Amino acid sequence: MKGMVERISEVQCGYLRKRFETLLRNGQKSGVSELFTSVDGSYTSLEETYEMLRTFQVLGIEKSADINIATCPIVVEKLGSSSSTPKDLFYALRVNSILKCNINADNFEVIASKLQAVVKDANSLVDLHYSIGSLTLIKDEDSGSNVQLGDADGIFHSIKALSQSDGRWRYSSSGAESSTYAAGLALEALAGVVLLASSEVEQSMIGAVKNDIVKLFDSLERYDDGAFYFDEKLEHQGPLSATASVVRGVTAFAAVTTGDLNLPGDRILGLANFFLGIGVPGTAKDLFDQIDSLACLENNRFSIPLILSLPASVHSLTKKDLLKVKVNTVLGSNSPPLTVKLVKAFSSGSKDTPIVENKELKFDPESSIHSLDILPETVDVGKYIFVFEVVLHDPEHEKIYYTGGHSQVPIFVTGVIKINNAEIAVLDSDLESIETKQKLDLSGENGVSLSANHLQKLRLSFQLTTPLGHVFKPHQVFLKLRHETKVEHIFVVENSRKQFEIVLDFLSLVEKFYYLSGRYDIQLTVGDAVMENSFLKALGHVELDLPEPPEKATRPPPQPVDPYSRFGPKQEISHIFRVPEKLPPKEVALTFLGLTVVPFIGFLIGLLYLKVNIKNFPTSAVPATFAVLFHVGIASVLFLYLLFWLKLDLFTTLKALGFLGAFLLFVGHRTLSHLASASAKLKSS
């Protein structure tokens, strides 16, 4: 059990540490006060903080200094505020009991006086629980504070008046429904009353509460594995929180009273199994309820349960494993001196025939493990039930610990299964006539190649035996035929006498095979929980020649599309670029360039022949500027044509030409207007 508890504790420690580090990280970002602030602005996270700190404490996680720095100012503020409710004071004092914040002793006196007034006037079980619980915490922190309850009998009676005939409690005198969770709160409050009473509480009243506890335990629910739990009728509480509340209340009440509670030990052990069987809860609240309840059971006064567990419930005949048993408390502490005996062990299928009886296990003080060196030779592979008995050495310990009597533990014994006489054959219509037969090595590789038609049959047979030579019947034996089109057919191989055998009559299977001829891969699967050499092997293939399908024959179902082939990477596309055309020699290219200049030279010669002059070029500053810009614009258009020829695309060229055209239109119009005006003046003169 210790190993199991250690594994659970490791996961739980990591979970809680991550949760609290997240709270501290948020507090560092937005201020320490916001660490405990809820959505509506009220401080309501001290309860969660205590639950985390308490769980750290039980699991042995050391708290960091950051937790004290972040939490203690909030605790001091709550304890010093006059507006703090009994619930705020209760959880602030609980947190302080762990962190040991620096609280002024005068504050305890003020708080105690306030809480005593609340206890005197309270009519709610919850208020009484918080107030009395806070007073007991103050008594533990400051023994000099006056926290005694003067009218303890009256308070005890007012709480007891809320109890019901079935052991449950109501939250108030006006409440109609009773609750198992409230019973735990009431028992904690009653324990506080006994502890704070200025005079001894009447034993008759304490005896009445003990009877209520017995009635409450009569309502326990039971799982098939022997775990006990308390069910809760109210919707806002589940079995875990209700059971944890009762365990805390019962252990608190038993710690402050004398005498026996007369609680059955198997119920206490069942409660421990309930909390241990939960695993790792999903919330911090459930985790606290689980760990805190186990801590209460670990140190209770009436009966400490001892848990028997096996580090491994699977034992191999091949490896000759030792049978190991551990006995620990619920949180993994070492048990008192004791002896573990194997009363008997029997196969799950034959309870009346034990394979071993009355064996005492050897104890190793260093590892605290009880072990059985050698299993009897009659133990074969399979599932067995081992019955253990724990015997305490000191009779006085029987008053403190509960061992649970006989404990039944299921154990799987595994081994290597022998495979013999494996063969595959093709038969004619007459079973006695074997056309082809091949031996198979099912422990190695096979690659048989067979051929058959629809008038023949396929037979596969083999034998399985245990290490002791008994016939072995595994849970799974399948034969699969897979067509080359990926259509699969699976058949169950039945056990016949001392061997497994299957005969496939292809004539009766043509419709099931959808008349698909071709290659079928053969695959055999044999598996079982106690079979160490379970396998899935390819045996080879068979070529089937089936008749042509009739017109109305059923077609093969469409095969599911492989998502990797549908959504996976596609095949890379290789581009083939055109081979560049052969260029002319350099001399020819230069000659052609020279010929293109010839028309320009002819243009210049033509201008000289026409006797072109620039006498009409404007001489005034403004007209001359427009004339120059006009000629620059024409040159720009010619240059744009050159760029279009060399590198620009059509759209870019047209866009630039649009701007140049508008520019030329403006400056050209101004230039021509000046020339026309000058010509008109010349004619008039």
Side-chain angles (χ1 to χ4, degrees), residues 489-545:
H489 306 281
I490 299 176
F491 305 91
V492 178
V493 182
E494 301 290 347
N495 176 262
S496 176
R497 296 185 299 276
K498 294 185 178 182
Q499 69 176 3
F500 285 86
E501 183 180 58
I502 184 173
V503 178
L504 300 181
D505 186 356
F506 295 127
L507 181 60
S508 61
L509 294 174
V510 289
E511 292 186 2
K512 185 176 181 179
F513 282 18
Y514 305 108
Y515 296 90
L516 292 177
S517 299
R519 173 171 172 156
Y520 285 81
D521 293 326
I522 307 173
Q523 188 180 81
L524 178 64
T525 302
V526 178
D528 193 276
V530 299
M531 182 177 177
E532 295 180 1
N533 56 332
S534 299
F535 61 85
L536 187 156
K537 288 186 177 297
L539 304 183
H541 70 276
V542 57
E543 290 284 345
L544 277 183
D545 182 14

Short mmCIF file of all heavy atoms in Angstrom, two decimals, residues 489-545:
data_model
loop_
_atom_site.label_atom_id
_atom_site.label_comp_id
_atom_site.label_asym_id
_atom_site.label_seq_id
_atom_site.Cartn_x
_atom_site.Cartn_y
_atom_site.Cartn_z
N HIS A 489 -11.66 -10.16 -43.98
CA HIS A 489 -12.62 -11.12 -43.44
C HIS A 489 -11.97 -11.77 -42.21
O HIS A 489 -10.86 -12.30 -42.30
CB HIS A 489 -12.98 -12.19 -44.48
CG HIS A 489 -13.47 -11.61 -45.78
ND1 HIS A 489 -14.74 -11.15 -45.96
CD2 HIS A 489 -12.81 -11.41 -46.96
CE1 HIS A 489 -14.88 -10.71 -47.20
NE2 HIS A 489 -13.72 -10.86 -47.83
N ILE A 490 -12.67 -11.71 -41.06
CA ILE A 490 -12.14 -12.21 -39.81
C ILE A 490 -12.98 -13.38 -39.33
O ILE A 490 -14.22 -13.31 -39.33
CB ILE A 490 -12.11 -11.10 -38.74
CG1 ILE A 490 -11.22 -9.94 -39.21
CG2 ILE A 490 -11.61 -11.64 -37.40
CD1 ILE A 490 -11.20 -8.77 -38.25
N PHE A 491 -12.30 -14.45 -38.91
CA PHE A 491 -12.97 -15.67 -38.46
C PHE A 491 -12.44 -16.04 -37.07
O PHE A 491 -11.24 -15.87 -36.79
CB PHE A 491 -12.72 -16.84 -39.42
CG PHE A 491 -13.12 -16.53 -40.85
CD1 PHE A 491 -12.19 -15.99 -41.74
CD2 PHE A 491 -14.41 -16.78 -41.28
CE1 PHE A 491 -12.55 -15.71 -43.04
CE2 PHE A 491 -14.77 -16.50 -42.59
CZ PHE A 491 -13.85 -15.96 -43.47
N VAL A 492 -13.32 -16.53 -36.22
CA VAL A 492 -12.94 -16.99 -34.88
C VAL A 492 -12.52 -18.45 -34.96
O VAL A 492 -13.26 -19.29 -35.50
CB VAL A 492 -14.10 -16.83 -33.88
CG1 VAL A 492 -13.70 -17.37 -32.51
CG2 VAL A 492 -14.51 -15.38 -33.78
N VAL A 493 -11.34 -18.74 -34.46
CA VAL A 493 -10.82 -20.12 -34.47
C VAL A 493 -11.31 -20.80 -33.20
O VAL A 493 -10.98 -20.38 -32.08
CB VAL A 493 -9.29 -20.13 -34.55
CG1 VAL A 493 -8.78 -21.57 -34.60
CG2 VAL A 493 -8.80 -19.33 -35.75
N GLU A 494 -12.10 -21.86 -33.36
CA GLU A 494 -12.69 -22.56 -32.23
C GLU A 494 -11.76 -23.66 -31.73
O GLU A 494 -10.89 -24.16 -32.45
CB GLU A 494 -14.04 -23.16 -32.62
CG GLU A 494 -15.06 -22.15 -33.10
CD GLU A 494 -15.56 -21.26 -32.00
OE1 GLU A 494 -15.31 -21.58 -30.81
OE2 GLU A 494 -16.20 -20.22 -32.30
N ASN A 495 -11.97 -24.02 -30.46
CA ASN A 495 -11.21 -25.09 -29.85
C ASN A 495 -11.95 -26.41 -30.05
O ASN A 495 -13.13 -26.53 -29.72
CB ASN A 495 -11.01 -24.82 -28.36
CG ASN A 495 -10.29 -25.96 -27.66
OD1 ASN A 495 -10.92 -26.80 -27.03
ND2 ASN A 495 -8.97 -25.98 -27.77
N SER A 496 -11.24 -27.37 -30.58
CA SER A 496 -11.82 -28.69 -30.83
C SER A 496 -10.94 -29.74 -30.15
O SER A 496 -9.79 -29.93 -30.55
CB SER A 496 -11.91 -28.97 -32.33
OG SER A 496 -12.38 -30.27 -32.58
N ARG A 497 -11.50 -30.36 -29.13
CA ARG A 497 -10.78 -31.34 -28.33
C ARG A 497 -9.50 -30.71 -27.76
O ARG A 497 -9.59 -29.80 -26.97
CB ARG A 497 -10.47 -32.60 -29.15
CG ARG A 497 -11.75 -33.35 -29.58
CD ARG A 497 -11.40 -34.62 -30.28
NE ARG A 497 -10.63 -34.43 -31.49
CZ ARG A 497 -11.18 -34.16 -32.65
NH1 ARG A 497 -12.49 -34.06 -32.78
NH2 ARG A 497 -10.42 -33.98 -33.72
N LYS A 498 -8.35 -31.15 -28.17
CA LYS A 498 -7.10 -30.64 -27.62
C LYS A 498 -6.38 -29.67 -28.55
O LYS A 498 -5.22 -29.33 -28.30
CB LYS A 498 -6.16 -31.81 -27.30
CG LYS A 498 -6.67 -32.71 -26.17
CD LYS A 498 -5.63 -33.77 -25.84
CE LYS A 498 -6.11 -34.65 -24.68
NZ LYS A 498 -5.10 -35.67 -24.31
N GLN A 499 -7.02 -29.27 -29.62
CA GLN A 499 -6.36 -28.36 -30.55
C GLN A 499 -7.35 -27.32 -31.07
O GLN A 499 -8.56 -27.49 -30.97
CB GLN A 499 -5.74 -29.13 -31.71
CG GLN A 499 -6.75 -29.74 -32.66
CD GLN A 499 -6.09 -30.40 -33.85
OE1 GLN A 499 -4.87 -30.44 -33.95
NE2 GLN A 499 -6.88 -30.90 -34.78
N PHE A 500 -6.78 -26.25 -31.60
CA PHE A 500 -7.57 -25.22 -32.26
C PHE A 500 -7.57 -25.52 -33.76
O PHE A 500 -6.52 -25.80 -34.36
CB PHE A 500 -6.98 -23.84 -32.00
CG PHE A 500 -7.26 -23.33 -30.61
CD1 PHE A 500 -6.42 -23.66 -29.56
CD2 PHE A 500 -8.36 -22.53 -30.36
CE1 PHE A 500 -6.67 -23.20 -28.28
CE2 PHE A 500 -8.62 -22.07 -29.08
CZ PHE A 500 -7.78 -22.41 -28.05
N GLU A 501 -8.75 -25.46 -34.34
CA GLU A 501 -8.87 -25.80 -35.77
C GLU A 501 -9.99 -24.98 -36.40
O GLU A 501 -11.02 -24.73 -35.79
CB GLU A 501 -9.15 -27.30 -35.93
CG GLU A 501 -9.22 -27.76 -37.38
CD GLU A 501 -9.50 -29.25 -37.49
OE1 GLU A 501 -10.56 -29.68 -36.96
OE2 GLU A 501 -8.68 -29.96 -38.08
N ILE A 502 -9.74 -24.57 -37.64
CA ILE A 502 -10.75 -23.88 -38.42
C ILE A 502 -10.67 -24.37 -39.86
O ILE A 502 -9.57 -24.56 -40.40
CB ILE A 502 -10.58 -22.34 -38.35
CG1 ILE A 502 -11.73 -21.65 -39.09
CG2 ILE A 502 -9.23 -21.90 -38.87
CD1 ILE A 502 -11.74 -20.15 -38.92
N VAL A 503 -11.82 -24.61 -40.47
CA VAL A 503 -11.90 -25.06 -41.86
C VAL A 503 -12.77 -24.06 -42.60
O VAL A 503 -13.94 -23.85 -42.26
CB VAL A 503 -12.49 -26.47 -41.97
CG1 VAL A 503 -12.61 -26.87 -43.43
CG2 VAL A 503 -11.62 -27.48 -41.21
N LEU A 504 -12.20 -23.43 -43.63
CA LEU A 504 -12.93 -22.45 -44.44
C LEU A 504 -13.37 -23.11 -45.74
O LEU A 504 -12.53 -23.53 -46.55
CB LEU A 504 -12.05 -21.23 -44.74
CG LEU A 504 -11.53 -20.44 -43.53
CD1 LEU A 504 -10.70 -19.25 -44.00
CD2 LEU A 504 -12.69 -19.96 -42.67
N ASP A 505 -14.67 -23.26 -45.92
CA ASP A 505 -15.25 -23.83 -47.14
C ASP A 505 -15.50 -22.67 -48.11
O ASP A 505 -16.45 -21.89 -47.95
CB ASP A 505 -16.55 -24.55 -46.81
CG ASP A 505 -17.12 -25.29 -48.02
OD1 ASP A 505 -16.53 -25.16 -49.12
OD2 ASP A 505 -18.15 -25.97 -47.87
N PHE A 506 -14.65 -22.53 -49.12
CA PHE A 506 -14.75 -21.39 -50.03
C PHE A 506 -16.03 -21.40 -50.85
O PHE A 506 -16.50 -20.33 -51.28
CB PHE A 506 -13.53 -21.36 -50.95
CG PHE A 506 -12.23 -21.11 -50.22
CD1 PHE A 506 -11.15 -21.95 -50.38
CD2 PHE A 506 -12.11 -20.04 -49.35
CE1 PHE A 506 -9.96 -21.73 -49.71
CE2 PHE A 506 -10.93 -19.81 -48.66
CZ PHE A 506 -9.86 -20.65 -48.84
N LEU A 507 -16.61 -22.59 -51.06
CA LEU A 507 -17.85 -22.64 -51.83
C LEU A 507 -18.97 -21.91 -51.10
O LEU A 507 -19.79 -21.23 -51.72
CB LEU A 507 -18.23 -24.10 -52.09
CG LEU A 507 -19.51 -24.32 -52.93
CD1 LEU A 507 -19.35 -23.69 -54.31
CD2 LEU A 507 -19.83 -25.81 -53.04
N SER A 508 -19.00 -22.04 -49.78
CA SER A 508 -20.03 -21.35 -49.00
C SER A 508 -19.65 -19.92 -48.65
O SER A 508 -20.46 -19.17 -48.09
CB SER A 508 -20.30 -22.13 -47.71
OG SER A 508 -19.13 -22.21 -46.92
N LEU A 509 -18.43 -19.53 -48.99
CA LEU A 509 -17.96 -18.18 -48.64
C LEU A 509 -17.82 -17.26 -49.84
O LEU A 509 -17.38 -16.11 -49.67
CB LEU A 509 -16.61 -18.27 -47.93
CG LEU A 509 -16.59 -18.96 -46.55
CD1 LEU A 509 -15.16 -19.09 -46.05
CD2 LEU A 509 -17.41 -18.16 -45.54
N VAL A 510 -18.20 -17.74 -51.04
CA VAL A 510 -17.98 -16.90 -52.23
C VAL A 510 -18.77 -15.59 -52.14
O VAL A 510 -18.29 -14.52 -52.55
CB VAL A 510 -18.35 -17.67 -53.51
CG1 VAL A 510 -17.33 -18.76 -53.79
CG2 VAL A 510 -19.76 -18.26 -53.42
N GLU A 511 -20.00 -15.65 -51.61
CA GLU A 511 -20.77 -14.42 -51.49
C GLU A 511 -20.17 -13.50 -50.43
O GLU A 511 -20.13 -12.28 -50.60
CB GLU A 511 -22.22 -14.74 -51.15
CG GLU A 511 -22.98 -15.43 -52.27
CD GLU A 511 -24.45 -15.60 -51.93
OE1 GLU A 511 -24.86 -15.14 -50.84
OE2 GLU A 511 -25.18 -16.17 -52.74
N LYS A 512 -19.70 -14.07 -49.32
CA LYS A 512 -19.07 -13.25 -48.29
C LYS A 512 -17.78 -12.63 -48.80
O LYS A 512 -17.41 -11.52 -48.38
CB LYS A 512 -18.80 -14.10 -47.05
CG LYS A 512 -18.24 -13.31 -45.87
CD LYS A 512 -18.09 -14.18 -44.64
CE LYS A 512 -17.55 -13.36 -43.47
NZ LYS A 512 -17.42 -14.16 -42.23
N PHE A 513 -17.11 -13.35 -49.71
CA PHE A 513 -15.87 -12.84 -50.29
C PHE A 513 -16.13 -11.93 -51.49
O PHE A 513 -15.18 -11.47 -52.13
CB PHE A 513 -14.96 -13.99 -50.71
CG PHE A 513 -14.21 -14.63 -49.57
CD1 PHE A 513 -14.61 -14.46 -48.26
CD2 PHE A 513 -13.10 -15.42 -49.81
CE1 PHE A 513 -13.95 -15.06 -47.22
CE2 PHE A 513 -12.41 -16.03 -48.77
CZ PHE A 513 -12.83 -15.85 -47.46
N TYR A 514 -17.42 -11.69 -51.82
CA TYR A 514 -17.84 -10.81 -52.93
C TYR A 514 -17.29 -11.26 -54.28
O TYR A 514 -17.04 -10.44 -55.16
CB TYR A 514 -17.39 -9.36 -52.65
CG TYR A 514 -17.86 -8.82 -51.34
CD1 TYR A 514 -16.97 -8.63 -50.28
CD2 TYR A 514 -19.20 -8.51 -51.13
CE1 TYR A 514 -17.39 -8.14 -49.06
CE2 TYR A 514 -19.63 -8.02 -49.89
CZ TYR A 514 -18.73 -7.84 -48.87
OH TYR A 514 -19.15 -7.35 -47.67
N TYR A 515 -17.06 -12.57 -54.40
CA TYR A 515 -16.56 -13.16 -55.65
C TYR A 515 -15.24 -12.54 -56.08
O TYR A 515 -14.91 -12.48 -57.27
CB TYR A 515 -17.59 -13.00 -56.77
CG TYR A 515 -18.89 -13.74 -56.53
CD1 TYR A 515 -19.94 -13.14 -55.87
CD2 TYR A 515 -19.05 -15.05 -56.96
CE1 TYR A 515 -21.14 -13.80 -55.63
CE2 TYR A 515 -20.25 -15.74 -56.74
CZ TYR A 515 -21.28 -15.11 -56.07
OH TYR A 515 -22.47 -15.78 -55.85
N LEU A 516 -14.46 -12.09 -55.13
CA LEU A 516 -13.19 -11.44 -55.46
C LEU A 516 -12.09 -12.49 -55.53
O LEU A 516 -11.69 -13.07 -54.53
CB LEU A 516 -12.83 -10.40 -54.40
CG LEU A 516 -13.72 -9.15 -54.33
CD1 LEU A 516 -13.28 -8.24 -53.19
CD2 LEU A 516 -13.67 -8.39 -55.65
N SER A 517 -11.61 -12.73 -56.69
CA SER A 517 -10.46 -13.62 -56.88
C SER A 517 -9.18 -12.84 -56.65
O SER A 517 -9.17 -11.61 -56.59
CB SER A 517 -10.48 -14.22 -58.28
OG SER A 517 -11.65 -14.97 -58.49
N GLY A 518 -8.09 -13.56 -56.50
CA GLY A 518 -6.80 -12.91 -56.33
C GLY A 518 -6.12 -13.33 -55.06
O GLY A 518 -6.42 -14.36 -54.45
N ARG A 519 -5.20 -12.51 -54.63
CA ARG A 519 -4.34 -12.84 -53.50
C ARG A 519 -4.99 -12.39 -52.18
O ARG A 519 -5.46 -11.26 -52.04
CB ARG A 519 -2.98 -12.16 -53.66
CG ARG A 519 -2.08 -12.29 -52.45
CD ARG A 519 -0.69 -11.79 -52.74
NE ARG A 519 0.13 -11.75 -51.54
CZ ARG A 519 1.45 -11.79 -51.53
NH1 ARG A 519 2.09 -11.90 -52.68
NH2 ARG A 519 2.13 -11.72 -50.42
N TYR A 520 -4.98 -13.32 -51.20
CA TYR A 520 -5.45 -13.04 -49.85
C TYR A 520 -4.31 -13.29 -48.87
O TYR A 520 -3.78 -14.40 -48.79
CB TYR A 520 -6.64 -13.93 -49.47
CG TYR A 520 -7.94 -13.55 -50.12
CD1 TYR A 520 -8.23 -13.94 -51.42
CD2 TYR A 520 -8.90 -12.81 -49.43
CE1 TYR A 520 -9.44 -13.60 -52.03
CE2 TYR A 520 -10.11 -12.47 -50.01
CZ TYR A 520 -10.37 -12.87 -51.31
OH TYR A 520 -11.57 -12.53 -51.90
N ASP A 521 -3.92 -12.25 -48.13
CA ASP A 521 -2.90 -12.42 -47.08
C ASP A 521 -3.54 -13.08 -45.86
O ASP A 521 -4.66 -12.74 -45.47
CB ASP A 521 -2.31 -11.07 -46.69
CG ASP A 521 -1.50 -10.45 -47.82
OD1 ASP A 521 -0.87 -11.22 -48.57
OD2 ASP A 521 -1.50 -9.21 -47.95
N ILE A 522 -2.82 -14.00 -45.22
CA ILE A 522 -3.32 -14.76 -44.07
C ILE A 522 -2.63 -14.25 -42.81
O ILE A 522 -1.40 -14.16 -42.76
CB ILE A 522 -3.06 -16.27 -44.25
CG1 ILE A 522 -3.61 -16.76 -45.60
CG2 ILE A 522 -3.67 -17.06 -43.10
CD1 ILE A 522 -3.24 -18.19 -45.92
N GLN A 523 -3.43 -13.94 -41.79
CA GLN A 523 -2.89 -13.41 -40.54
C GLN A 523 -3.58 -14.10 -39.37
O GLN A 523 -4.80 -14.25 -39.36
CB GLN A 523 -3.12 -11.90 -40.48
CG GLN A 523 -2.44 -11.20 -39.31
CD GLN A 523 -2.73 -9.71 -39.32
OE1 GLN A 523 -3.79 -9.28 -38.88
NE2 GLN A 523 -1.80 -8.92 -39.84
N LEU A 524 -2.78 -14.54 -38.37
CA LEU A 524 -3.31 -15.24 -37.20
C LEU A 524 -3.01 -14.42 -35.95
O LEU A 524 -1.89 -13.94 -35.75
CB LEU A 524 -2.67 -16.62 -37.08
CG LEU A 524 -3.10 -17.47 -35.86
CD1 LEU A 524 -4.58 -17.79 -35.93
CD2 LEU A 524 -2.26 -18.75 -35.78
N THR A 525 -4.04 -14.27 -35.09
CA THR A 525 -3.90 -13.53 -33.83
C THR A 525 -4.26 -14.45 -32.67
O THR A 525 -5.34 -15.05 -32.66
CB THR A 525 -4.82 -12.30 -33.81
OG1 THR A 525 -4.50 -11.45 -34.91
CG2 THR A 525 -4.65 -11.53 -32.50
N VAL A 526 -3.34 -14.58 -31.69
CA VAL A 526 -3.59 -15.36 -30.48
C VAL A 526 -3.16 -14.50 -29.30
O VAL A 526 -2.01 -14.06 -29.23
CB VAL A 526 -2.81 -16.69 -30.48
CG1 VAL A 526 -3.06 -17.45 -29.19
CG2 VAL A 526 -3.19 -17.54 -31.68
N GLY A 527 -4.09 -14.25 -28.37
CA GLY A 527 -3.76 -13.38 -27.25
C GLY A 527 -4.54 -13.71 -26.00
O GLY A 527 -5.68 -14.16 -26.06
N ASP A 528 -3.89 -13.48 -24.85
CA ASP A 528 -4.52 -13.68 -23.55
C ASP A 528 -3.72 -12.90 -22.52
O ASP A 528 -2.52 -12.67 -22.68
CB ASP A 528 -4.56 -15.17 -23.18
CG ASP A 528 -5.49 -15.44 -22.01
OD1 ASP A 528 -5.05 -15.27 -20.86
OD2 ASP A 528 -6.65 -15.80 -22.26
N ALA A 529 -4.41 -12.48 -21.42
CA ALA A 529 -3.76 -11.68 -20.40
C ALA A 529 -2.63 -12.43 -19.70
O ALA A 529 -1.67 -11.82 -19.23
CB ALA A 529 -4.79 -11.22 -19.36
N VAL A 530 -2.71 -13.75 -19.62
CA VAL A 530 -1.68 -14.52 -18.92
C VAL A 530 -0.70 -15.18 -19.89
O VAL A 530 0.16 -15.95 -19.46
CB VAL A 530 -2.34 -15.59 -18.03
CG1 VAL A 530 -3.23 -14.95 -16.99
CG2 VAL A 530 -3.13 -16.60 -18.86
N MET A 531 -0.82 -14.89 -21.16
CA MET A 531 0.06 -15.48 -22.17
C MET A 531 1.16 -14.48 -22.50
O MET A 531 0.92 -13.44 -23.12
CB MET A 531 -0.76 -15.82 -23.43
CG MET A 531 0.04 -16.48 -24.53
SD MET A 531 -1.04 -16.92 -25.94
CE MET A 531 0.15 -17.58 -27.10
N GLU A 532 2.37 -14.78 -22.08
CA GLU A 532 3.48 -13.86 -22.28
C GLU A 532 3.92 -13.77 -23.73
O GLU A 532 4.52 -12.76 -24.13
CB GLU A 532 4.67 -14.26 -21.40
CG GLU A 532 4.38 -14.15 -19.90
CD GLU A 532 5.57 -14.55 -19.06
OE1 GLU A 532 6.63 -14.89 -19.64
OE2 GLU A 532 5.47 -14.52 -17.82
N ASN A 533 3.66 -14.78 -24.52
CA ASN A 533 4.07 -14.78 -25.92
C ASN A 533 2.87 -14.65 -26.86
O ASN A 533 2.80 -15.33 -27.89
CB ASN A 533 4.88 -16.04 -26.25
CG ASN A 533 4.12 -17.32 -25.90
OD1 ASN A 533 3.28 -17.34 -25.00
ND2 ASN A 533 4.42 -18.40 -26.63
N SER A 534 1.92 -13.82 -26.50
CA SER A 534 0.82 -13.54 -27.42
C SER A 534 1.39 -12.98 -28.72
O SER A 534 2.42 -12.29 -28.72
CB SER A 534 -0.15 -12.54 -26.79
OG SER A 534 -0.71 -13.04 -25.60
N PHE A 535 0.71 -13.24 -29.81
CA PHE A 535 1.30 -12.83 -31.09
C PHE A 535 0.22 -12.47 -32.11
O PHE A 535 -0.95 -12.85 -32.00
CB PHE A 535 2.20 -13.94 -31.66
CG PHE A 535 1.48 -15.23 -31.96
CD1 PHE A 535 0.83 -15.43 -33.17
CD2 PHE A 535 1.47 -16.26 -31.03
CE1 PHE A 535 0.17 -16.63 -33.45
CE2 PHE A 535 0.81 -17.45 -31.29
CZ PHE A 535 0.17 -17.64 -32.51
N LEU A 536 0.65 -11.72 -33.09
CA LEU A 536 -0.11 -11.41 -34.31
C LEU A 536 0.86 -11.61 -35.46
O LEU A 536 1.79 -10.81 -35.63
CB LEU A 536 -0.65 -9.99 -34.26
CG LEU A 536 -1.60 -9.54 -35.37
CD1 LEU A 536 -2.49 -8.40 -34.88
CD2 LEU A 536 -0.87 -9.08 -36.62
N LYS A 537 0.68 -12.69 -36.22
CA LYS A 537 1.67 -13.07 -37.22
C LYS A 537 1.05 -13.20 -38.60
O LYS A 537 -0.10 -13.64 -38.75
CB LYS A 537 2.33 -14.40 -36.85
CG LYS A 537 3.29 -14.31 -35.68
CD LYS A 537 4.02 -15.61 -35.48
CE LYS A 537 5.03 -15.48 -34.34
NZ LYS A 537 6.09 -14.49 -34.65
N ALA A 538 1.84 -12.82 -39.59
CA ALA A 538 1.48 -13.04 -41.00
C ALA A 538 1.98 -14.44 -41.38
O ALA A 538 3.17 -14.75 -41.23
CB ALA A 538 2.10 -11.98 -41.88
N LEU A 539 1.06 -15.28 -41.85
CA LEU A 539 1.43 -16.67 -42.19
C LEU A 539 1.81 -16.82 -43.65
O LEU A 539 2.46 -17.80 -44.01
CB LEU A 539 0.25 -17.60 -41.88
CG LEU A 539 -0.28 -17.56 -40.44
CD1 LEU A 539 -1.39 -18.59 -40.26
CD2 LEU A 539 0.85 -17.80 -39.44
N GLY A 540 1.40 -15.91 -44.49
CA GLY A 540 1.66 -16.04 -45.92
C GLY A 540 0.46 -15.55 -46.71
O GLY A 540 -0.24 -14.62 -46.30
N HIS A 541 0.18 -16.23 -47.85
CA HIS A 541 -0.97 -15.83 -48.66
C HIS A 541 -1.52 -17.04 -49.40
O HIS A 541 -0.87 -18.08 -49.52
CB HIS A 541 -0.57 -14.74 -49.66
CG HIS A 541 0.34 -15.24 -50.76
ND1 HIS A 541 1.71 -15.34 -50.61
CD2 HIS A 541 0.07 -15.70 -52.02
CE1 HIS A 541 2.25 -15.80 -51.71
NE2 HIS A 541 1.27 -16.03 -52.59
N VAL A 542 -2.74 -16.85 -49.88
CA VAL A 542 -3.39 -17.87 -50.69
C VAL A 542 -3.99 -17.19 -51.92
O VAL A 542 -4.60 -16.12 -51.81
CB VAL A 542 -4.47 -18.62 -49.88
CG1 VAL A 542 -5.51 -17.66 -49.33
CG2 VAL A 542 -5.14 -19.70 -50.73
N GLU A 543 -3.77 -17.80 -53.08
CA GLU A 543 -4.35 -17.30 -54.33
C GLU A 543 -5.69 -18.01 -54.54
O GLU A 543 -5.72 -19.23 -54.71
CB GLU A 543 -3.42 -17.56 -55.50
CG GLU A 543 -2.16 -16.72 -55.52
CD GLU A 543 -2.43 -15.29 -55.97
OE1 GLU A 543 -3.52 -15.06 -56.54
OE2 GLU A 543 -1.56 -14.42 -55.76
N LEU A 544 -6.77 -17.24 -54.52
CA LEU A 544 -8.11 -17.81 -54.67
C LEU A 544 -8.64 -17.56 -56.08
O LEU A 544 -8.54 -16.44 -56.60
CB LEU A 544 -9.07 -17.20 -53.65
CG LEU A 544 -9.08 -17.79 -52.24
CD1 LEU A 544 -10.14 -17.13 -51.40
CD2 LEU A 544 -9.29 -19.29 -52.29
N ASP A 545 -9.20 -18.61 -56.64
CA ASP A 545 -9.83 -18.51 -57.96
C ASP A 545 -11.32 -18.74 -57.75
O ASP A 545 -11.78 -19.88 -57.63
CB ASP A 545 -9.24 -19.56 -58.90
CG ASP A 545 -9.83 -19.47 -60.30
OD1 ASP A 545 -10.48 -18.44 -60.60
OD2 ASP A 545 -9.66 -20.42 -61.09
#
